[in-house]
Amino acid sequence: MRATLIYGAGDVRVEDVPDARLREPTDAVVRVLRSCVCGSDLWPFGSRPASAHGDRMGHEFLGVVEEVGSAVSGLTAGDVVVAPFVWADNTCDFCAEGLQTSCRHGGNWGAPDVDGGQGEAVRVPQAQGTLVRLPVAEDSALLPSLLTLSDVLPTGHHCAVTAGVGPRTTVTVIGDGAVGLSAVLAAKRLGAERILLMGRHADRTDLGREFGATDVVAERGAAGVERVRELTGGDGTHAVLECVGTLPAIETAFGVVRDGGAVSRVGVPQYSEVPMDFGVFLRNVTLTGGVAPARAYIDELLPAVLDGVIQPGKVFDRTVSLDKVADGYRAMADRTALKVLVQP
Ligand SMILES: [Zn+2]
């Protein structure tokens, strides 16, 4: 079968790899209908040291079950399923607490000996705990929105939930990428009364307004902080959803959070020290967030996607075939595409 590997910065290739097949009784084999490129894929695409050995890529996919192992129940060949961006048994103590990203028997897609989502098929470990059945046909128009259940929608939701977003909450979302826009959608769905979106790309912030942003702040850094404060009577917002992962973004987050409020970060941090100084201490600001246990949220978010109440698939603004996946990486890296859908 064909699958995507990365060999170094800017070096993404689609190659022949061993076919996905059952190895453990807890496995399933899924033929991929749709996958996509994640903003987090851009970090290795920008900086991975070159090597002779490639790593399999892709952690967001949905597809059709082709085969299930003898220990898997509740799934049969022909089911359309979505996979969260980590696999998990969904039964251990961490999973029971809704922290499938810490599953005692789980792991990452594309790890050694594990397939990635950007390919024709995937061997799914812990299939019963990992895969979620979708009541749709293989050609459903909802596939792009359903695919966001893999990562960006639950990640945006996790960001909003951990920051305590609810009715009467004011929110700042930092970042107009797919996760930031999903965080806007999640905050709106949770009833936030005001959502300020910080982003500079008009086409993206326009989608953010459609998703529920009430204000757009294009300024960055100190000017951005000042603008958010102006818009909020000098106070900042109760919740700040940091969906970028850079040091300037987290600094902005502490600049725009209201005293007693919470900063939640879901952007993969590209910094090692969090700038929580004495001033932040005096203001009783909480830092929360982290990698989203997507599996914990899929059941809750699925009905709104199926009913069309939310249309998170609008974040996909380009589709490529699997053989053109490198073009998709480039388009996202140079910001000519927001999020790229891959159709094998
Ligand atoms: Zn578990």
Side-chain angles (χ1 to χ4, degrees), residues 87-96 99-100 102-106:
W87 45 273
D89 61 11
N90 213 22
T91 54
C92 76
D93 53 340
F94 280 120
C95 287
L99 204 62
Q100 286 86 343
S102 294
C103 177
R104 296 188 189 277
H105 309 107

Side-chain angles (χ1 to χ4, degrees), residues 198 217-228 248-249 251-252 255-256:
M198 300 187 77
V217 174
E219 295 89 343
R220 318 177 95 186
V225 171
E226 193 180 331
R227 182 72 186 129
V228 170
E251 286 172 345
T252 296
V256 299

Side-chain angles (χ1 to χ4, degrees), residues 165-290:
V165 173
R168 292 180 301 283
T169 313
T170 55
V171 180
T172 303
V173 175
I174 301 176
D176 58 9
V179 171
L181 297 177
S182 300
V184 170
L185 201 57
K188 172 74 176 174
R189 187 180 158 275
L190 291 167
E193 72 172 25
R194 192 164 181 204
I195 304 169
L196 287 68
L197 172 60
M198 300 187 77
R200 288 186 308 163
H201 306 85
D203 50 338
R204 301 180 180 193
T205 53
D206 285 350
L207 182 56
R209 285 187 191 276
E210 193 182 326
F211 280 179
T214 52
D215 306 81
V216 168
V217 174
E219 295 89 343
R220 318 177 95 186
V225 171
E226 193 180 331
R227 182 72 186 129
V228 170
R229 295 225 162 235
E230 264 173 31
L231 289 167
T232 53
D235 286 345
T237 58
H238 299 102
V240 180
L241 313 185
E242 195 278 286
C243 303
V244 179
T246 59
L247 186 59
I250 194 79
E251 286 172 345
T252 296
F254 288 116
V256 299
V257 67
R258 188 174 185 273
D259 288 13
V263 171
S264 178
R265 54 173 184 159
V266 293
V268 179
Q270 306 301 305
Y271 51 84
S272 53
E273 286 179 23
V274 176
M276 291 185 84
D277 60 11
F278 185 58
V280 175
F281 169 82
L282 290 178
R283 295 168 50 219
N284 272 280
V285 171
T286 297
L287 176 65
T288 182

